[in-house]
Amino acid sequence: MGQIAKRVEDKRLLKLIRAFLNAGVMEGGLVSPSVEGTPQGGPLSPLLSNLVLDELDRELERRGHGFARYADDCNIYVRSERAGQRVMESITNFITTELKLKVNHEKSAVAKPQERKFLGFSFTGGAKPKRRIAPKARKRFREKVREITRRKKGDSMKQRVEDLTQYLRGWRGYFGFCETPTVLQELDSWVRRRLRSCYWIQWKTGRRRFDALVRLGVSRELAANTAGSNRGPWYLSKSVALRQAFPNAYFDSIGLPRLAASR
C-alpha cells in the first residue's frame, strides 16, 4: 500500500484496493483472512506485482542485465553459469532485503534457456535459438482437448467441435507466436485423430459404422473391412477409411482452426 500511495493520490481508490487485499480467501467454502500478499488469480494481483516489482526492473537495468519479466515471473540472462549463480544470489538478496519479498527457491534455478520455461515458452538450442512451446504447455493442451472430447461427457459432436474451436482459437492466438511450426502441425494431426476417434465411438455398432463410412464416400469393401475390425478407436483413427471419411478439408469446412495455419 505504501508503494501504491506513492503513485495514487485518490484516497477512495486506496481504500478500495486495501479492502480488496483484506477481503480474505475462500477455500473449501470457508473464508480465511488475508494476512499478506494478494489473492492468487485475482485481477489486481498482476497489476500490483508490476507496481511493486518496478524497483526490481530498475535495479536490473541499472546493472545492465538482459531480462524479461511478467508479473512475478522473471528471467535474467547472463553469459555463463558462474555469472548466473552470482547474479541469482545478489538479486535474491535485493528482493528479500530491499523489497521485503520472498523468493520461491523451488521454482528458481540457474540453467540454459532451453532447459527452462517462461510463460509457456522455451527455446531450442544451437547458434540460432528459436521460441518453442514448453513441454508442460503441450501436455496441458492435450489434457484440455481430451477433456473437451472425452466420450463420457454426453455432448453432441457438434457441441464438442464448437467448444474445441473456441479453445483452439484462443490457444493459437497465444502459442502461434512460436517458431517451431512442426510442433503445431503435430498437434493439428493429433486433434484430428482425436475427433475421428470420437466419431467412430459415437457410431457404436458395426452396421452403423459401415453405413456412415459409405455415406461419407468410402468404398463398400473398405468400409466393411474397417467396420468389422476389432482394433480400438485410437488405432482406427489413422486408418485409410476414416481419413477418407474425414479428410483435413472436412475439418476446415466445419470451421475447426488449424494451429499451424498462416497468420
Side-chain angles (χ1 to χ4, degrees):
M1 289 303 301
Q3 292 291 333
I4 299 172
K6 293 178 181 179
R7 297 166 178 261
V8 178
E9 297 182 357
D10 191 331
K11 292 184 177 180
R12 296 172 299 174
L13 180 57
L14 294 174
K15 183 178 180 180
L16 182 62
I17 294 174
R18 182 179 291 277
F20 181 89
L21 295 174
N22 292 331
V25 180
M26 180 173 288
E27 297 176 322
L30 300 176
V31 177
S32 302
S34 299
V35 180
E36 61 181 359
T38 63
Q40 185 171 2
L44 269 183
S45 297
L47 295 176
L48 296 182
S49 293
N50 282 334
L51 190 151
V52 173
L53 293 176
D54 182 60
E55 290 189 38
L56 173 62
D57 295 346
R58 295 179 183 276
E59 178 67 16
L60 292 172
E61 290 173 350
R62 186 183 68 79
R63 298 187 185 190
H65 293 314
F67 69 96
R69 183 182 66 78
Y70 181 84
D72 62 347
D73 196 355
C74 183
N75 280 9
I76 305 171
Y77 301 101
V78 295
R79 293 185 179 275
S80 68
E81 182 178 356
R82 183 177 179 181
Q85 295 289 355
R86 183 177 66 253
V87 170
M88 183 173 179
E89 182 179 353
S90 63
I91 291 299
T92 298
N93 183 63
F94 174 82
I95 292 173
T96 55
T97 58
E98 298 295 328
L99 302 184
K100 311 299 182 185
L101 300 173
K102 296 179 181 179
V103 175
N104 189 331
H105 294 285
E106 293 182 359
K107 294 184 178 180
S108 302
V110 175
K112 295 179 179 179
Q114 60 265 33
E115 296 173 0
R116 303 291 292 172
K117 68 180 182 67
F118 182 62
L119 305 178
F121 287 93
S122 182
F123 294 93
T124 61
K128 295 183 179 180
K130 297 180 179 180
R131 289 183 303 275
R132 66 175 181 177
I133 304 170
K136 286 187 178 180
R138 297 200 301 269
K139 181 181 179 181
R140 286 195 296 269
F141 172 84
R142 291 176 184 265
E143 290 174 349
K144 181 62 177 181
V145 172
R146 288 191 184 100
E147 178 187 341
I148 293 173
T149 59
R150 69 181 184 271
R151 71 183 72 179
K152 295 181 180 179
K153 193 171 182 179
D155 291 339
S156 65
M157 282 303 301
K158 180 180 179 181
Q159 184 62 51
R160 293 182 193 181
V161 170
E162 289 178 357
D163 293 344
L164 188 58
T165 296
Q166 184 177 6
Y167 175 69
L168 292 179
R169 282 175 180 162
W171 199 89
R172 185 182 67 184
Y174 185 83
F175 286 103
F177 183 62
C178 77
E179 296 175 313
T180 51
T182 55
V183 173
L184 298 179
Q185 292 166 4
E186 290 171 2
L187 291 176
D188 272 333
S189 178
W190 181 82
V191 168
R192 290 191 290 264
R193 279 195 66 186
R194 182 75 185 174
L195 286 174
R196 291 184 184 113
S197 178
C198 289
Y199 280 112
W200 188 254
I201 292 170
Q202 181 176 269
W203 292 335
K204 294 183 180 179
T205 67
R207 184 64 197 181
R208 289 182 62 186
R209 288 167 177 169
F210 171 80
D211 292 340
L213 289 174
V214 172
R215 187 170 62 252
L216 290 168
V218 180
S219 69
R220 298 181 67 86
E221 180 180 0
L222 180 57
N225 290 336
T226 307
S229 174
N230 58 2
R231 295 283 192 172
W234 183 245
Y235 180 89
L236 291 173
S237 65
K238 63 177 182 179
S239 67
V240 174
L242 278 173
R243 283 190 283 115
Q244 285 184 3
F246 299 108
N248 295 346
Y250 168 79
F251 295 111
D252 292 339
S253 71
I254 63 175
L256 190 73
R258 292 197 187 200
L259 300 177
S262 59
R263 307 179 66 213

